[in-house]
Amino acid sequence: MSVCYALPPLRGSAEHQGSLADFIWFRTGGPAEWLVRPEDSRDLAVFMAGLASDTPVLPVGVGSNLIVRDGGVPGVVVRLPKAMAKVSVEPDNRVRAGAGAMGITVASAARDAGIAGLEFLRGIPGTVGGAVRMNAGAYGRDTSDILIEATVVTRDGAVETWPAERLGYTYRHSALPAGAVVVEALFAGVPGDKAVIAAEMDRIAAEREASQPLRSRTGGSTFKNPEGHKAWALIDAAGCRGLRRGDAQVSEKHCNFLLNLGGASSADIEALGEEVRATVLAHSGISLEWEIQRVGVPA
């Protein structure tokens, strides 16, 4: 991280060596070379247009599905402000959300408007931007099931509205290019009864509380479910429940979650994940793919 990129003008803020561990769920990892918080979409677009084309750009929400390596992240990390987290209800059972909005906020707005079909967002602990990029899903539904269109700021500073089809969705993946930043999404629901919607959201919340280590320093689901299998079951069958490397641990509550027990480094967490992958491969012949995004450089 020795290169210091010259930054174009910005109405928002740009912090050199900005801490990511302050808000990343694992609470580990090195700083961003530049942590940029634009004021709005236009500010971001002008900034991106003026940024040298070889400067890496990484959008980050709340870091609920992210390992930031201990050497930090070169280039620019973009974090959207609260002003870009607004949620509004539109005609025809549609919900428009800024990319900085949390899934629970979107689900709650839909519930209050009597719009069903978005309840599963209650079970996604990240932002709309992250959900759109990675096709986040829970409880049998994916973001691709409800997305109508997404507004993105491309790496060269263009503001474009992409229909869902253009995102080329597959399981936990989209065709959104590196460096592009989702700034808004439009979701489709169906008419529903507020009480029924609320009950389903409560069920999801209770199920998550009972089955996942929500009050720990974690990064959410670590590995993708291989076709026909559950990652947690493969990890459990391979004897990895509770496995530790330093202060990094495979959760005993849910085997597809890794934990920072307090003093783990990102290197510890990633190495533990690779140990789990190797053990599962040896036991079952199945190679687990990372679902958590790993970014930055080693220390």
Side-chain angles (χ1 to χ4, degrees):
M1 299 235 321
S2 58
V3 177
C4 186
Y5 297 94
L7 299 185
L10 183 75
R11 285 186 281 113
S13 66
E15 180 184 358
H16 187 51
Q17 299 297 306
S19 174
L20 301 177
D22 283 348
F23 63 89
I24 294 297
W25 275 32
F26 274 121
R27 295 295 192 267
T28 62
E33 184 169 6
W34 288 102
L35 180 57
V36 168
R37 295 178 175 89
E39 194 168 283
D40 51 33
S41 297
R42 177 47 50 191
D43 190 27
L44 176 61
V46 172
F47 174 82
M48 296 271 272
L51 196 62
S53 60
D54 60 347
T55 306
V57 173
L58 175 71
V60 172
V62 292
S64 58
N65 201 231
L66 195 66
I67 294 174
V68 175
R69 294 184 173 116
D70 299 303
V73 181
V76 169
V77 171
V78 174
R79 192 167 193 224
L80 302 183
K82 289 183 179 179
M84 297 177 72
K86 295 175 181 175
V87 179
S88 60
V89 174
E90 299 190 352
D92 299 321
N93 301 294
R94 296 181 171 192
V95 179
R96 186 174 298 275
M102 297 293 292
I104 185 175
T105 306
V106 180
S108 298
R111 174 201 62 206
D112 294 346
I115 298 174
L118 280 66
E119 297 91 339
F120 75 97
L121 293 175
R122 173 65 180 84
I124 296 176
T127 61
V128 164
V132 169
R133 173 172 282 278
M134 71 170 286
N135 194 19
Y139 302 94
R141 303 209 75 198
D142 296 325
T143 302
S144 57
D145 295 330
I146 59 171
L147 184 71
I148 298 171
E149 62 187 28
T151 303
V152 303
V153 176
T154 65
R155 179 58 186 82
D156 60 2
V159 181
E160 300 178 352
T161 299
W162 287 28
E165 296 76 20
R166 185 175 174 185
L167 286 157
Y169 277 132
T170 55
Y171 176 63
R172 303 294 174 263
H173 177 78
S174 77
L176 199 66
V181 182
V182 178
V183 293
E184 190 177 80
L186 181 63
F187 298 114
V190 295
D193 181 273
K194 292 182 184 181
V196 174
I197 297 167
E200 173 63 6
M201 287 176 60
D202 289 346
R203 183 193 69 80
I204 289 171
E207 188 172 318
R208 289 187 70 232
E209 181 70 36
S211 65
Q212 299 176 13
L214 302 181
R215 304 183 190 285
S216 305
R217 295 181 179 183
T218 184
S221 295
T222 306
F223 302 108
K224 299 177 182 179
N225 290 324
E227 188 168 352
H229 298 274
K230 293 291 186 182
W232 76 264
L234 293 169
I235 295 167
D236 198 16
C240 294
R241 183 182 293 269
L243 183 68
R244 284 184 64 167
R245 180 177 289 238
D247 257 6
Q249 182 184 41
V250 176
S251 170
E252 295 183 354
K253 192 172 187 180
H254 192 310
C255 296
N256 200 24
F257 283 65
L258 301 182
L259 308 178
N260 173 10
L261 299 180
S265 65
S266 292
D268 293 333
I269 296 167
E270 187 170 5
L272 177 61
E274 290 297 344
E275 183 178 350
V276 168
R277 293 184 69 237
T279 305
V280 169
L281 180 61
H283 180 266
S284 65
I286 296 173
S287 181
L288 294 176
E289 292 184 32
W290 284 90
E291 181 169 321
I292 287 180
Q293 187 179 8
R294 296 155 297 147
V295 301
V297 296

